[in-house]
Amino acid sequence: MKRLYFPLLAGLLTAGTVLFGGCGPEKQSAQDTAAEALPDISISRSPYGRTQAGEAVDMYTLRNRQGMEIDVITYGGIITRWTAPDRDGRYANITLGFDSLVQYERSSPYFGALIGRYGNRIAGGSFALDGKTYTLETNNGPNHLHGGERGFDKVVWTARIQEEGMHPYLVLTYTSPDGEGGYPGTLSTTVTYTLTPDNALEVVYTATTDQKTVVNLTQHAYFNLSGDFSQPILDHVLSLAADQYLPVDAGLIPTGEWAPVAGTPFDFRQPKAIGQDIEAQDTQLSLGRGYDHCWVLGQADSLRQVASLTHPGSGRTLAIFTDEPGIQFYSGNFLDGSLPRPDGGTYGHRSGLCLETQHFPDSPNQPSFPSVELAPGETYSSRTTFQFSAQ
Ligand code: GLA
């Protein structure tokens, strides 16, 4: 599999650093830690807990020399913590999460999780494939959302560290049995999380099936680049490389129209504060309770930059690259102060936002949308890179 790396920036390493490579911590003396001997990336594993069903869950921590750290648990492939530097080089956690497996199992709005088999909604929880109708679980009013009651966010993935010289990466696999959630075919899915030396995370998804099916995988991290989750994300400045977006009905199902963003609150072609238009009188904003829509990205199939997000106060900036045709920008409208933050307090309205790279919602029922079908012998493949910097 082709792997992408961005140029290595100057190492910030000092002698005597504790190294974590492979599956266990390993201390080295100051003499041993000549810069050229140290890996650019290290990955460590630790036990995280057990699900209510008794399955063991591990946490893997990916680190690079600059100081970025990403905690991933095997339950849901969830990114529970992700640090990024501000303009003064100060690292802070920029992704919403919980501090216990119990809380993730009890109630999570997909914080940090891998989403499958189908990211986003399928109208009426049903679709037809080759003349046969399939009935999915309806877990969002009358509709199917994010794979159903027990989507890929709620299963325990098998994890391994793939050693590749100085650049190990995390490999997660899950085999979804035929019929799970109502979907046809046994779906074998692999997701890799690769931290790069220059503060990017590459997420690569592949899947194969033994029967024709539909697939749309994504990552559901909630970002708040301020690192202060008591604050809403309305001051974040967003740009999206999209001339069109998909208007929705009251159930957040696309109407089928591809609407121009020009002259609407949905125009993020130039960087704009999220709060600038979010309260504008607009039917689509009312239906979404804010932004909760899919933007149509140009030049599908090639990895290109599609979004940029900056928190002006800290300078933290996130650039998103993907080969997907769409991106769901969700402004955290359903966060309502009922979920606990690890640092005390609760997650308030719009205290995080999602930028989910994906195929369009309800594609199985919308012939004008890019196909999400996967047949035996084919390999589903998709990639997204989250590149951090500071301004
Ligand atoms: C997605 C949807 C939102 C909401 C969140 C989870 O991003 O687009 O409408 O359901 O997941 O709360």
Side-chain angles (χ1 to χ4, degrees):
M1 200 182 299
K2 187 169 158 247
R3 310 210 64 78
L4 299 173
Y5 289 104
F6 293 84
L8 172 62
L9 299 181
L12 300 173
L13 200 70
T14 51
T17 304
V18 176
L19 259 191
F20 294 84
C23 291
E26 183 191 336
K27 279 199 179 166
Q28 296 201 343
S29 71
Q31 281 101 329
D32 292 338
T33 53
E36 61 272 18
L38 292 168
D40 294 327
I41 308 298
S42 62
I43 303 180
S44 62
R45 177 172 66 97
S46 54
Y48 188 71
R50 282 194 180 270
T51 63
Q52 280 167 359
E55 293 167 286
V57 174
D58 286 332
M59 173 183 279
Y60 288 81
T61 300
L62 290 68
R63 297 183 177 84
N64 69 10
R65 288 206 218 179
Q66 298 209 42
M68 180 167 279
E69 296 185 354
I70 305 175
D71 289 337
V72 178
I73 58 172
T74 51
Y75 179 80
I78 294 172
I79 297 175
T80 60
R81 189 181 65 101
W82 187 346
T83 70
D86 68 7
R87 63 171 67 89
D88 298 318
R90 282 181 303 232
Y91 281 76
N93 180 26
I94 49 75
T95 194
L96 278 52
F98 298 126
D99 57 6
S100 74
L101 185 55
V102 171
Q103 185 60 46
Y104 281 108
E105 282 197 277
R106 184 185 298 144
S107 171
S108 172
Y110 307 95
F111 276 168
L114 293 176
I115 304 294
R117 297 186 184 194
Y118 197 92
N120 221 311
R121 293 173 173 81
I122 296 178
S126 132
F127 67 96
L129 207 51
D130 292 343
K132 183 164 180 213
T133 298
Y134 293 92
T135 303
L136 308 173
E137 294 161 359
T138 47
N139 58 330
N140 188 245
N143 301 320
H144 175 87
L145 175 67
H146 292 337
E149 295 296 347
R150 190 166 175 270
F152 288 4
D153 58 300
K154 296 183 184 68
V155 301
V156 178
W157 293 65
T158 300
R160 71 183 163 81
I161 298 167
Q162 179 70 35
E163 297 290 350
E164 217 166 82
M166 305 283 267
H167 297 150
Y169 57 93
L170 184 63
V171 182
L172 299 174
T173 56
Y174 175 66
T175 301
S176 175
D178 180 23
E180 190 173 47
Y183 292 96
T186 308
L187 190 74
S188 302
T189 303
T190 299
V191 179
T192 60
Y193 283 126
T194 305
L195 176 61
T196 73
D198 74 335
N199 287 349
L201 178 70
E202 299 166 7
V203 187
V204 177
Y205 310 81
T206 52
T208 55
T209 183
D210 61 2
Q211 275 181 60
K212 201 167 185 189
T213 191
V214 297
V215 191
N216 188 26
L217 306 177
T218 191
Q219 221 295 336
H220 210 294
Y222 285 67
F223 297 103
N224 184 329
L225 302 184
S226 75
D228 179 356
F229 302 154
S230 70
Q231 298 301 313
I233 45 70
L234 299 174
D235 59 349
H236 286 45
V237 174
L238 176 67
S239 62
L240 296 172
D243 296 332
Q244 295 171 301
Y245 78 107
L246 303 175
V248 293
D249 67 15
L252 295 178
I253 299 291
T255 60
E257 182 195 356
W258 302 33
V261 296
T264 78
F266 293 80
D267 191 351
F268 284 93
R269 290 173 298 174
Q270 299 300 320
K272 182 171 79 174
I274 290 166
Q276 182 176 310
D277 296 333
I278 201 168
E279 300 297 347
Q281 291 301 311
D282 180 277
T283 307
Q284 282 299 314
L285 281 176
S286 303
L287 290 168
R289 298 170 183 73
Y291 296 109
D292 195 355
H293 297 76
C294 186
W295 271 251
V296 178
L297 304 167
Q299 302 171 284
D301 294 337
S302 62
L303 191 76
R304 73 284 194 218
Q305 184 171 350
V306 298
S308 174
L309 181 72
T310 299
H311 174 245
S314 65
R316 288 192 188 92
T317 296
L318 167 62
I320 300 182
F321 300 73
T322 189
D323 54 10
E324 287 284 354
I327 190 165
Q328 181 88 6
F329 164 38
Y330 166 57
S331 52
N333 314 308
F334 295 113
L335 297 174
D336 60 3
S338 61
L339 297 170
R341 301 200 313 263
D343 61 343
T346 59
Y347 286 111
H349 192 219
R350 298 178 177 154
S351 55
L353 68 94
C354 302
L355 290 163
E356 307 155 45
T357 54
Q358 56 189 237
H359 272 56
F360 302 168
D362 197 34
S363 298
N365 293 309
Q366 308 240 8
S368 71
F369 290 176
S371 173
V372 290
E373 292 179 10
L374 182 71
E378 296 174 346
T379 299
Y380 170 98
S381 169
S382 157
R383 67 169 63 228
T384 294
T385 297
F386 300 90
Q387 172 73 59
F388 284 88
S389 60
Q391 297 184 351

